Amino acid sequence: MAKLVDGKRISQEIKDELKAEVADLAQQGKTASLAVIQVGGDPASSVYVRNKKNACAYIGIGSESYELPEETTEEELLALIQELNQKEEVHGILVQLPLPAHIDEEKVILAIDPSKDVDGFHPQSAGALMIGSKGFLPCTPAGVIQLLKRSGVEMEGKNCVIVGRSNIVGKPMAMLMLRENATVTVAHSRTKNLKELCKQADILIVAIGKPKFITEEYVKEGAVVIDVGIHRLEGKKLCGDVDFDVVEPLASAITPVPGGVGPMTIAMLMNNCVETMR
C-alpha cells in the first residue's frame, strides 16, 4: 500500500515556518504586502483569491485585493499593474488567471515588475530558473519539490518522467528536477509509446489536464506518483489526472486529490512573498 503524500500537512508546516520568520523580520522593521488582482467573477478564481488572502493573514503579511469587473479593458488592467509596480509598500503582484478572452495574458505577465513577480511567470523569472540563478520559482513546481523532499523521496539519480509541458508546470518542473540531479524526460500529447515511457519512471509527475488519464498500465511498481491535476466530476467529486484507486496499490508513494499538490501552491506563493523581505 502506497504512502500518502500529505500536502495539507506539509503546506501547514511551511506556513508555520513562514509565520515565525515573518514575525522575526517584522522585529527588524521589514514588512511585505501582496496585491491580488482578479478580473471577473469566475467562482474557482474567487476561491483561490480568498485562500491567498487567508494565507497572507495567517503568516502575517499584508494583502490588497483588486476585484475588477469582467468588462475591464486590457489598458485599464495594465495601468493598474503599472501603478502597483511603483507602489513601494507592495512587494508582490499576482494577477489571477485565467483572464477574460479580450485580455492578452502574455502582455499582462510581461507588465509585472520581475522583482514583484511572486507567481514566477515573467520571462525573466523563467530565464533565471533555466540558468539556475536567483529568482522567483513558479509555485506549483516548487511545491512538488517540497512535497518530495519533506516526504523523504530521494531525487538524485532517479528517472523522472513529467507528463505535460506547460509553461506553468511541465517545463519549470523539468528544470527543478534537473536541479535536484534527477534524470528527466518530458512527455506530452505527441509522445509515442507513452505507457512504456511512464513505466520507466521512478518518479512520475502528471500535469496534463485529463481526468483519471494515468492508469496502472502507465506505472512501474514502487514508483512515486505526483498528481498535479484537479477536476470536478459529476456529483461534485474531485479527482486528478491519475486514476488513484488503480494506481495507489502499485505506487510506493502517491499524492491524493484533493489534499496533495493543491495546498502546496499557496504555501510556495507565501514563500515567494516572504522572499521579498529576506
Side-chain angles (χ1 to χ4, degrees), residues 9 11 35 72 87 91 101 113 126 142 146 213 223 233 274:
R9 179 186 59 78
S11 68
T72 299
K87 269 181 94 166
H91 300 79
D113 181 338
Q146 286 300 314
F213 181 85
L233 301 175
V274 175

Side-chain angles (χ1 to χ4, degrees), residues 70-130:
E70 183 91 20
E71 58 274 15
T72 299
T73 65
E74 189 178 279
E75 292 71 26
E76 287 168 332
L77 178 56
L78 292 173
L80 173 59
I81 291 168
Q82 206 48 50
E83 186 187 314
L84 294 170
N85 282 341
Q86 306 301 325
K87 269 181 94 166
E88 283 184 22
E89 60 270 33
V90 170
H91 300 79
I93 301 170
L94 185 151
V95 179
Q96 184 64 44
L97 303 178
L99 290 165
H102 65 277
I103 296 176
D104 184 336
E105 282 187 7
E106 192 177 341
K107 262 193 203 171
V108 169
I109 289 166
L110 278 169
I112 297 169
D113 181 338
S115 72
K116 298 187 178 188
D117 170 41
V118 287
D119 254 338
F121 292 164
H122 193 283
Q124 190 167 312
S125 303
L129 171 59
M130 172 65 79

Side-chain angles (χ1 to χ4, degrees), residues 161-231:
V161 175
I162 298 163
V163 189
R165 55 177 168 178
S166 72
N167 290 337
I168 291 173
V169 180
K171 289 177 191 170
M173 192 75 252
M175 291 300 107
L176 288 176
M177 289 303 290
L178 284 172
R179 269 195 199 182
E180 300 298 330
N181 299 315
T183 301
V184 180
T185 304
V186 179
H188 45 79
S189 58
R190 304 294 171 88
T191 298
K192 291 180 176 148
N193 304 319
L194 182 62
K195 285 181 186 173
E196 291 79 358
L197 188 66
C198 290
K199 277 202 102 132
Q200 294 169 27
D202 303 310
I203 301 170
L204 181 62
I205 301 172
V206 189
I208 49 170
K210 293 184 177 179
K212 298 191 178 185
F213 181 85
I214 297 292
T215 62
E216 74 276 21
E217 297 172 323
Y218 292 79
V219 180
K220 175 174 84 174
E221 188 160 356
V224 173
V225 180
I226 304 291
D227 188 351
V228 181
I230 187 159
H231 312 275

Side-chain angles (χ1 to χ4, degrees), residues 138-170:
C139 302
T140 300
V144 170
I145 295 292
Q146 286 300 314
L147 277 181
L148 293 168
K149 283 185 172 176
R150 291 173 185 245
S151 300
V153 175
E154 181 66 48
M155 290 174 266
E156 186 164 334
K158 294 297 173 71
N159 188 7
C160 172
V161 175
I162 298 163
V163 189
R165 55 177 168 178
S166 72
N167 290 337
I168 291 173
V169 180

Side-chain angles (χ1 to χ4, degrees), residues 251-267:
S252 61
I254 188 168
T255 56
V257 176
V261 174
M264 297 299 295
T265 301
I266 290 181

